[in-house]
Amino acid sequence: MPELAKKTECTGCTACASVCPKQCIKMVRDEEGFAYPEVDLHQCVDCMLCVKSCPIKTNDLRTHPTPSAYAAYSNAAQLREESSSGGIFSEIAMEIFNRGGVVFGAAYDTRFEVRHVCIETADELYRLRGAKYVQSTLDGVFLQVKDYLQRQREVLFSGTPCQIAGLKAFLKEEYPLLTCIDFVCHGVPSPAVWREYVRYRSRLDNNGDLPRSINMRSKESGWSRYQYSNTFVYGQKRWSSRNQDNLFMRLFVGGYINRACCENCKAKGYDRTSDITLGDFWGIWEVRPEMDDDKGTSLVLLHSEKARRLFDAIHDRIRYQPVSLEEASWMNPSLLQSSKAKGERAVFIKSAIDGAFDQLEERLGQDAAGRKGSLFRRAGGWFRRLLQGK
């Protein structure tokens, strides 16, 4: 019987299910809404490919040496406005399209659940822009990636650091046509909590009808100093709040609704399995104020020679400046540190899945995770202490 990763360590990357020659491993959601592998022992032949493809069991989460770091943003104003930070992901993706390649990333479906999809044209790229604060479904995606690579198509795969590690562990060999982008990840919230929150907002704002669009990283209120907004659009109606006032964001950043393994993430650090790491360059207003115009600036870490060639290919479409790793991580603690779970995590997740968001709002009150003394505004040492659970 294969011994897969412990539940407290499993990232749900799907590498084990993807590699199984008997297809006897299924990803099954638990009571918190997170997917974990379950093995049908009646079909299992003990080939152990699942264990050998698990990045946790093989400790295969870091391979590249120390990266070079940049602050950067796209010169295309509309593209940048529609992006979470500086639009660098879209610029890289368009370069892949120009080469005849495909791009994988997280997108909302018609019910605003988050799934990894493959797109082949720039016209579809809007689906992958913007932060989705929930763990995406990856069913069958690793097999799709491998199929494109074996057909000699260039592939850009964007995902969490643990998803990249899972993909690399599944593929086992380096593919010159594959470029992987991860991001500065604070953790992955429960898909079940997100689903119930969308329903909760819809009941409050639109008589239960789902929104036409959701933008959890709207720049209508700005970007610099964490001032972005969360916006739900329902036809002629819309609801918007600043990020620090949004209940879901407070639960997420506060460590109440994230996957158990996020508390001790093994994919943190400067060295990674990805080629490129992207994120918001929080603190750019202090590090390189000339690169902060309140429209979004990306943090870019280049881990491989492949990444450097790709960055060179887009350099005339972006503005960028090199920075030190210390400057890059100064106000980006999630680059290096895990987000610690609150002791009430299990209770909060259950309450959220039960739809008791009004009660959760009341419990959070006006504390450090809320409006007064917002953790987003106090992103220095206090933010770091919060993430460390101190």
Side-chain angles (χ1 to χ4, degrees):
M1 175 179 174
E3 184 179 342
L4 298 177
K6 299 175 183 177
K7 189 171 183 178
T8 54
E9 297 180 336
C10 175
T11 67
C13 74
T14 76
C16 57
S18 300
V19 79
C20 179
K22 294 295 185 178
Q23 297 183 323
C24 65
I25 301 179
K26 305 297 182 186
M27 301 301 294
V28 178
R29 298 196 179 278
D30 70 354
E31 67 281 357
E32 295 183 343
F34 295 107
Y36 293 90
E38 288 191 5
V39 182
D40 183 346
L41 296 179
H42 296 292
Q43 298 185 56
C44 178
V45 294
D46 287 330
C47 67
M48 297 300 167
L49 286 176
C50 54
V51 177
K52 296 174 183 176
S53 297
C54 174
I56 299 299
K57 298 294 288 186
T58 61
N59 197 30
D60 188 18
L61 289 99
R62 300 180 185 178
T63 57
H64 292 306
T66 302
S68 51
Y70 298 87
Y73 57 75
S74 170
N75 293 328
Q78 183 174 349
L79 183 155
R80 192 175 169 206
E81 181 181 348
E82 295 171 354
S83 301
S84 293
S85 48
I88 300 302
F89 167 75
S90 292
E91 292 288 4
I92 293 173
M94 287 189 287
E95 179 63 25
I96 297 298
F97 291 138
N98 291 340
R99 301 177 183 183
V102 300
V103 178
F104 285 82
Y108 289 127
D109 66 13
T110 56
R111 300 192 64 79
F112 294 98
E113 297 184 7
V114 180
R115 303 178 182 277
H116 255 67
V117 299
C118 175
I119 63 173
E120 299 193 44
T121 67
D123 290 341
E124 299 176 274
L125 192 52
Y126 73 92
R127 299 178 63 193
L128 308 188
R129 292 194 188 109
K132 285 90 176 178
Y133 294 112
V134 63
Q135 186 167 36
S136 63
T137 297
L138 279 171
D139 294 347
V141 169
F142 288 0
L143 292 168
Q144 283 184 274
V145 171
K146 186 173 184 178
D147 180 62
Y148 276 112
L149 292 171
Q150 290 180 336
R151 289 191 280 133
Q152 298 301 302
R153 292 287 297 277
E154 189 159 2
V155 174
L156 177 67
F157 184 92
S158 171
T160 63
C162 56
Q163 287 175 333
I164 302 295
L167 174 62
K168 292 290 191 75
F170 161 74
L171 292 173
K172 289 188 170 55
E173 61 179 280
E174 281 294 324
Y175 285 85
L177 292 177
L178 173 65
T179 301
C180 291
I181 295 179
D182 70 2
F183 52 85
V184 180
C185 181
H186 178 71
V188 286
S190 161
V193 172
W194 170 251
R195 180 178 62 248
E196 292 305 321
Y197 180 73
V198 172
R199 292 175 179 173
Y200 165 73
R201 285 254 54 95
S202 299
R203 291 194 299 271
L204 289 181
D205 308 327
N206 203 39
N207 298 318
D209 292 334
L210 292 176
R212 292 177 57 185
S213 67
I214 296 175
N215 186 351
M216 295 298 285
R217 293 297 302 277
S218 171
K219 296 176 182 175
E220 63 182 25
S221 56
W223 173 89
S224 186
R225 293 171 170 79
Y226 322 99
Q227 294 306 303
Y228 59 87
S229 298
N230 316 125
T231 303
F232 289 54
V233 177
Y234 309 85
Q236 300 301 313
K237 299 179 182 179
R238 68 193 302 273
W239 174 85
S240 184
S241 74
R242 299 289 276 272
N243 72 85
Q244 61 263 33
D245 298 327
N246 182 284
L247 175 59
F248 183 86
M249 292 299 292
R250 289 155 60 193
L251 292 171
F252 162 49
V253 176
Y256 292 99
I257 57 173
N258 299 337
R259 193 178 179 103
C261 65
C262 296
E263 185 172 16
N264 292 291
C265 177
K266 299 182 185 300
K268 297 292 184 183
Y270 294 128
D271 53 327
R272 304 195 171 204
T273 58
S274 62
D275 297 288
I276 302 170
T277 297
L278 297 178
D280 296 277
F281 204 130
W282 301 132
I284 190 65
W285 47 87
E286 298 287 348
V287 173
R288 296 288 189 279
E290 67 275 15
M291 289 290 291
D292 177 29
D293 59 2
D294 200 26
K295 296 178 181 178
T297 305
S298 295
L299 168 63
V300 183
L301 301 183
L302 305 180
H303 301 281
S304 67
E305 185 57 37
K306 187 190 306 182
R308 292 178 180 86
R309 291 196 299 269
L310 194 51
F311 195 66
D312 288 342
I314 67 168
H315 81 275
D316 61 341
R317 305 202 297 269
I318 66 175
R319 183 183 178 192
Y320 64 96
Q321 287 190 21
V323 297
S324 69
L325 290 176
E326 290 74 18
E327 290 172 323
S329 60
W330 176 48
M331 286 195 180
N332 280 285
S334 293
L335 182 64
L336 305 176
Q337 303 169 9
S338 299
S339 54
K340 297 303 179 183
K342 288 291 192 296
E344 299 172 289
R345 171 188 171 280
V347 174
F348 270 64
I349 288 180
K350 184 180 186 306
S351 295
I353 292 175
D354 289 343
F357 288 101
D358 289 336
Q359 296 176 27
L360 294 180
E361 182 89 57
E362 185 176 339
R363 289 187 67 174
L364 287 178
Q366 301 291 320
D367 63 8
R371 297 175 180 83
K372 293 183 179 179
S374 165
L375 60 85
F376 292 96
R377 292 194 179 109
R378 299 184 179 183
W382 188 62
F383 192 7
R384 291 191 181 91
R385 291 195 297 275
L386 176 64
L387 292 176
Q388 293 171 336
K390 297 180 179 179

